[in-house]
């Protein structure tokens, strides 16, 4: 499966962005999907995940109440709606897919999209 992220950019603190992850090769209903991010000099960290059916989601404590993950099966696309952005949200955001909801390992990764939040 191939994953392509889009929607990153520069935004002021308090603003919003919506990231998209388009999947090709197989429908994303075959996979659980996740968003991760990596800031300069830091390790990659988990942001949010959604199950194959879209019925289950969860997110990191640092983004709860601000970020929402969702999916559009017809478009084979997963979204990350990011509101109330903070400068510490600045990072490259990656979309990933895994075959099992319970597996800790993600098998497929996109190339990433840069999000920069100015103060």
């Amino acid at each position: 499966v191939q994953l392509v992220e889009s929607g990153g950019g520069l935004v002021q603190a308090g603003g919003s962005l919506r990231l998209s992850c388009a999947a090709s090769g197989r429908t994303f209903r075959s996979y659980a999907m996740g968003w991760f991010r990596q800031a300069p000099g830091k390790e990659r960290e988990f942001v949010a995940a959604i199950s194959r059916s879209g019925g289950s989601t969860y997110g990191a404590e640092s983004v709860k109440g601000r970020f929402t993950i969702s999916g559009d099966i017809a478009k084979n696309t997963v979204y990350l709606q990011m509101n109330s952005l903070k400068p510490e949200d600045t990072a490259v955001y990656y979309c990933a897919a895994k075959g099992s909801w319970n597996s800790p390992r993600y098998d497929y990764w996109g190339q990433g999209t840069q999000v920069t939040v100015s103060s």
Side-chain angles (χ1 to χ4, degrees):
V1 63
Q2 293 78 45
L3 305 173
V4 179
E5 303 97 332
S6 61
L10 174 64
V11 64
Q12 289 188 334
S16 298
L17 282 175
R18 188 178 78 160
L19 305 183
S20 299
C21 173
S24 62
R26 292 184 66 175
T27 64
F28 81 80
R29 288 204 72 174
S30 299
Y31 301 95
M33 304 293 293
W35 285 97
F36 291 77
R37 66 186 182 185
Q38 187 167 20
K42 295 187 177 181
E43 293 189 354
R44 185 172 60 196
E45 65 173 353
F46 168 79
V47 176
I50 186 168
S51 62
R52 299 180 187 186
S53 66
S56 297
T57 63
Y58 69 98
E61 284 298 322
S62 59
V63 304
K64 280 185 178 179
R66 299 189 300 123
F67 291 11
T68 302
I69 188 170
S70 63
D72 186 329
I73 294 173
K75 295 183 177 180
N76 233 19
T77 300
V78 175
Y79 304 99
L80 184 67
Q81 178 66 44
M82 306 186 296
N83 299 327
S84 302
L85 282 161
K86 305 175 182 179
E88 51 263 45
D89 294 318
T90 295
V92 177
Y93 283 72
Y94 297 91
C95 174
K98 59 181 179 179
S100 171
W101 177 244
N102 295 318
S103 172
R105 188 187 75 183
Y106 283 78
D107 302 306
Y108 303 97
W109 293 84
Q111 83 290 347
T113 185
Q114 176 71 47
V115 172
T116 303
V117 184
S118 62
S119 56

